[in-house]
Amino acid sequence: EDMDLVDPSVTSVLGLQLALHRKTSVQRFCMRTPKTKMANGIGISEVRGLIRALKRCDHVNVLTCHEVFEDAETIYFMYEYFPCCTLRYVFESHAWSQEQLVNLARECCAGVAHASSV
């Protein structure tokens, strides 16, 4: 209720949209998940478990989930704001050496491995 999407018509980046807190102007990324898109059979206990895991996930290569709230149709996941770009942009924007590409790939894998282990 206190968050407002900056411009809902703007295409999201990685499924996230920039949101502002109406009172504090704190920027967050918002991932909106319609409840109708959730897999059949997922109950409130599974959703609460996912939320706890997201909040425990603390890794330099993973965005921090600060809060989660819902309305009648949607669950809103609020992540830290970080001016980001896609991996495709990163790879195409610079002439990377093979060693740098290997390090980038390792960092991506480390983030994914950590997130999946929580």
Side-chain angles (χ1 to χ4, degrees), residues 59-86:
H59 192 275
V60 67
N61 295 328
V62 178
L63 291 175
T64 302
C65 182
H66 288 286
E67 62 182 318
V68 179
F69 55 94
E70 67 179 305
D71 62 19
E73 292 100 25
T74 308
I75 300 174
Y76 301 87
F77 296 86
M78 305 307 293
Y79 291 90
E80 70 180 304
Y81 171 73
F82 183 81
C84 69
C85 54
T86 64

Side-chain angles (χ1 to χ4, degrees), residues 1-13 15-32 63 66-67 69 75-84:
E1 197 170 287
D2 288 332
M3 298 301 284
D4 193 24
L5 295 177
V6 174
D7 185 351
S9 65
V10 174
T11 305
S12 63
V13 176
L16 303 170
Q17 290 185 303
L18 184 61
L20 291 174
H21 192 279
R22 290 185 182 138
K23 295 177 183 171
T24 64
S25 296
V26 171
Q27 294 180 326
R28 294 275 189 250
F29 277 133
C30 177
M31 184 176 75
R32 298 183 299 174
L63 291 175
H66 288 286
E67 62 182 318
F69 55 94
I75 300 174
Y76 301 87
F77 296 86
M78 305 307 293
Y79 291 90
E80 70 180 304
Y81 171 73
F82 183 81
C84 69

Side-chain angles (χ1 to χ4, degrees), residues 16-116:
L16 303 170
Q17 290 185 303
L18 184 61
L20 291 174
H21 192 279
R22 290 185 182 138
K23 295 177 183 171
T24 64
S25 296
V26 171
Q27 294 180 326
R28 294 275 189 250
F29 277 133
C30 177
M31 184 176 75
R32 298 183 299 174
T33 304
K35 292 178 180 178
T36 58
K37 300 273 185 181
M38 305 223 19
N40 289 336
I42 291 190
I44 191 69
S45 62
E46 287 88 359
V47 173
R48 287 184 179 144
L50 171 64
I51 292 168
R52 282 191 300 277
L54 286 172
K55 289 184 175 183
R56 281 193 319 264
C57 192
D58 183 21
H59 192 275
V60 67
N61 295 328
V62 178
L63 291 175
T64 302
C65 182
H66 288 286
E67 62 182 318
V68 179
F69 55 94
E70 67 179 305
D71 62 19
E73 292 100 25
T74 308
I75 300 174
Y76 301 87
F77 296 86
M78 305 307 293
Y79 291 90
E80 70 180 304
Y81 171 73
F82 183 81
C84 69
C85 54
T86 64
L87 282 176
R88 181 179 181 165
Y89 173 80
V90 169
F91 286 123
E92 292 176 352
S93 66
H94 185 74
W96 300 97
S97 70
Q98 184 175 2
E99 182 181 354
Q100 290 170 319
L101 289 171
V102 168
N103 287 334
L104 281 170
R106 283 185 180 146
E107 291 295 321
C108 292
C109 292
V112 170
H114 179 77
S116 65

